């Protein structure tokens, strides 16, 4: 067989199509069977997952088709001994083929874009009687504000949502860019200083879903986690009522120091989310170990470090502590916390 004739042999198109169809079927099946995402926590999640499935249906066969031709060509037209200095045959193009491979991808792309656009509009549609929640991302915690008809909005570090109720999150940041992401809802948006961003979801089943910061925002980025608690409307109503009640106090009237330290008070971030303290059982390392750095300090010095954290920094640690404890902790809570820290740091 001469060089020319061997190189111009016909490609076994039928066999390749058969291989392509079989591999495509396997690829599509695998793509649809793999659990790519967490459970569908919102109605929007179902729409998003359907779009994903359609993309698998369309893109896997194209990928397989291209790879089949590439691999076949690599094998079939490989260089053989004695061909080192030979040029391939001159190719003058094939107008028909070129029209096809330009038009087909263009049609597929336009179709997929139109379909995604329609589905996106559906996801972003405003719903009647939607609840608005202001979400603030701040180094390194989330706070949520629930507007109350004719009253002060309720602020909390916990996120509660009534099942089935459309919600619109208005997302903000006072410091750097964060990203408010609830994977189970399939929605995320950046929290950008200076502007409001937003998205809508309708939680469709009760449960507790992770909330994640999806934008690298500093040392405590990985700690910026929370839960979206989707509960029944009656549970939601009683949670809101609880938040309206005066600040929680332990039996005897005084706030519980250890609880304040490990959980915060609903507005102020918990000390324990960044600091290690043996007595409270916390082990975070964003800030210094308080059992060590506060040892021997008097009450006034400890108070100063809580309300003016930037004044004196522990070497090796950055100025990351919230600067608003003066306002987010009550006078009584601050007293209790200072007394507690003084006691356990001395021991
Ligand atoms: Cu906030 Cu990452």
């Amino acid at each position: 067989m001469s060089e020319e004739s061997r190189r111009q042999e016909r490609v076994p198109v039928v066999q390749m199509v058969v291989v392509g169809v079989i591999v495509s079927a396997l690829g599509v099946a695998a793509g649809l069977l793999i659990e790519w995402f967490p459970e569908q926590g919102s109605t929007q999640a179902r729409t998003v997952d359907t779009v994903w499935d359609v993309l698998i249906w369309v893109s896997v066969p194209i990928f397989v088709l291209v790879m089949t031709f590439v691999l076949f060509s690599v094998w079939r037209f490989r260089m053989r001994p004695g061909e080192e200095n030979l040029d391939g045959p001159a190719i003058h193009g094939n107008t028909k083929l070129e029209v096809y491979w330009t038009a087909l991808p263009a049609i597929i792309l336009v179709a997929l874009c139109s379909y995604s656009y329609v589905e996106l509009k559906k996801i972003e549609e405003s719903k009647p009687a939607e609840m608005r929640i202001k979400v603030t991302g701040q180094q390194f915690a989330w706070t949520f504000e629930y507007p109350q008809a004719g009253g002060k909005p309720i602020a909390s570090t916990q996120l509660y949502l009534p099942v089935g109720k459309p919600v619109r999150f208005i997302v903000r940041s006072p410091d750097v860019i964060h990203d408010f992401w609830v994977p189970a809802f399939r929605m995320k948006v950046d929290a950008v200083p200076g502007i409001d961003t937003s998205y809508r979801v309708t939680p469709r089943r009760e449960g507790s879903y992770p909330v994640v910061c999806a934008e690298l925002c500093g040392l405590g980025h990985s700690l910026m986690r929370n839960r979206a608690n989707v509960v029944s409307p009656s549970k939601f109503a009683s949670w809101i009522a609880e938040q309206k009640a005066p600040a929680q106090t332990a039996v005897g009237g005084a706030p519980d120091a250890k609880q304040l330290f490990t959980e915060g008070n609903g507005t102020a971030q918990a000390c324990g989310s960044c600091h290690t303290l043996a007595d409270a059982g916390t082990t975070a390392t964003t800030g210094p170990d308080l059992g060590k750095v506060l040892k021997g300090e008097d009450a006034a010095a400890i108070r100063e470090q809580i309300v003016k954290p930037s004044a004196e920094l522990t070497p090796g640690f950055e100025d990351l502590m919230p600067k608003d404890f003066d306002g987010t902790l009550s006078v009584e809570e601050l007293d209790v916390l200072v007394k507690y820290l003084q006691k356990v740091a001395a021991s």
Side-chain angles (χ1 to χ4, degrees):
M1 196 192 298
S2 80
E3 285 303 324
E4 280 301 292
S5 66
R6 188 165 64 76
R7 283 187 175 275
Q8 282 171 5
E9 251 178 306
R10 287 189 64 81
V11 229
V13 174
V14 178
Q15 288 93 320
M16 280 166 71
V17 167
V18 171
V19 170
V21 167
I22 294 171
V23 180
S24 293
L26 292 175
V28 169
L32 297 180
L33 286 175
I34 291 171
E35 294 264 356
W36 300 96
F37 306 116
E39 63 179 310
Q40 299 174 331
S42 71
T43 52
Q44 286 76 4
R46 303 170 98 170
T47 315
V48 171
D49 292 6
T50 308
V51 172
W52 173 263
D53 286 347
V54 170
L55 289 179
I56 295 245
W57 273 109
V58 178
S59 56
V60 169
I62 293 174
F63 176 77
V64 169
L65 177 83
V66 172
M67 289 319 282
T68 310
F69 271 92
V70 168
L71 291 176
F72 171 81
S73 305
V74 165
W75 167 75
R76 185 68 189 79
F77 303 109
R78 68 191 182 279
M79 189 186 71
R80 292 170 173 83
E83 293 181 338
E84 286 83 353
N85 295 318
L86 286 181
D87 267 342
I91 292 170
H92 299 288
N94 183 329
T95 310
K96 207 165 128 194
L97 208 52
E98 283 162 24
V99 168
Y100 279 134
W101 78 40
T102 307
L104 271 179
I107 292 169
I108 293 173
L109 270 181
V110 169
L112 284 180
C113 287
S114 313
Y115 164 64
S116 309
Y117 181 78
V118 169
E119 297 302 296
L120 181 66
K121 283 281 138 197
K122 248 191 246 170
I123 286 174
E124 292 181 335
E125 209 168 55
S126 89
K127 309 263 184 345
E130 124 194 307
M131 183 167 83
R132 286 167 158 248
I133 299 178
K134 281 186 199 163
V135 178
T136 305
Q138 187 170 11
Q139 286 173 325
F140 294 101
W142 297 105
T143 43
F144 307 96
E145 233 181 71
Y146 301 76
Q148 299 302 305
K152 249 184 75 180
I154 289 170
S156 173
T157 53
Q158 294 176 308
L159 176 58
Y160 273 80
L161 303 167
V163 68
K165 173 100 175 157
V167 183
R168 180 165 190 208
F169 294 113
I170 319 284
V171 183
R172 298 170 170 178
S173 163
D175 44 36
V176 300
I177 300 177
H178 304 270
D179 191 300
F180 181 60
W181 184 27
V182 186
F185 293 166
R186 305 288 188 278
M187 304 293 285
K188 67 207 269 272
V189 74
D190 275 4
V192 183
I195 61 169
D196 289 358
T197 52
S198 79
Y199 64 75
R200 298 186 161 97
V201 294
T202 307
R204 60 180 282 267
R205 65 209 289 185
E206 292 180 29
S208 171
Y209 308 106
V211 174
V212 186
C213 178
E215 186 67 55
L216 186 59
C217 55
L219 266 188
H221 162 67
S222 61
L223 302 170
M224 244 180 117
R225 290 176 165 260
N226 211 312
R227 308 289 298 186
N229 301 292
V230 177
V231 295
S232 66
S234 63
K235 253 201 201 147
F236 178 76
S238 61
W239 179 79
I240 284 283
E242 238 173 67
Q243 305 306 304
K244 278 185 191 161
Q248 274 186 345
T249 48
V251 190
D256 180 69
K258 206 181 281 188
Q259 190 186 350
L260 205 50
F261 186 91
T262 54
E263 293 169 25
N265 67 359
T267 315
Q269 206 182 336
C271 317
S273 63
C274 291
H275 291 284
T276 292
L277 184 67
D279 186 76
T282 60
T283 54
T285 54
T286 304
D289 181 339
L290 295 180
K292 287 183 187 148
V293 295
L294 295 182
K295 202 164 211 151
E297 299 268 10
D298 62 20
I302 293 175
R303 178 184 301 264
E304 179 83 1
Q305 301 214 20
I306 297 173
V307 299
K308 289 194 192 125
S310 311
E312 195 188 317
L313 294 175
T314 306
F317 290 92
E318 285 185 48
D319 186 11
L320 296 175
M321 194 158 141
K323 316 285 182 280
D324 57 358
F325 283 126
D326 218 358
T328 54
L329 290 168
S330 70
V331 176
E332 194 185 19
E333 286 169 333
L334 194 54
D335 282 344
V336 165
L337 211 46
V338 168
K339 256 186 221 147
Y340 170 70
L341 285 170
Q342 195 184 6
K343 192 183 96 195
V344 297
S347 57

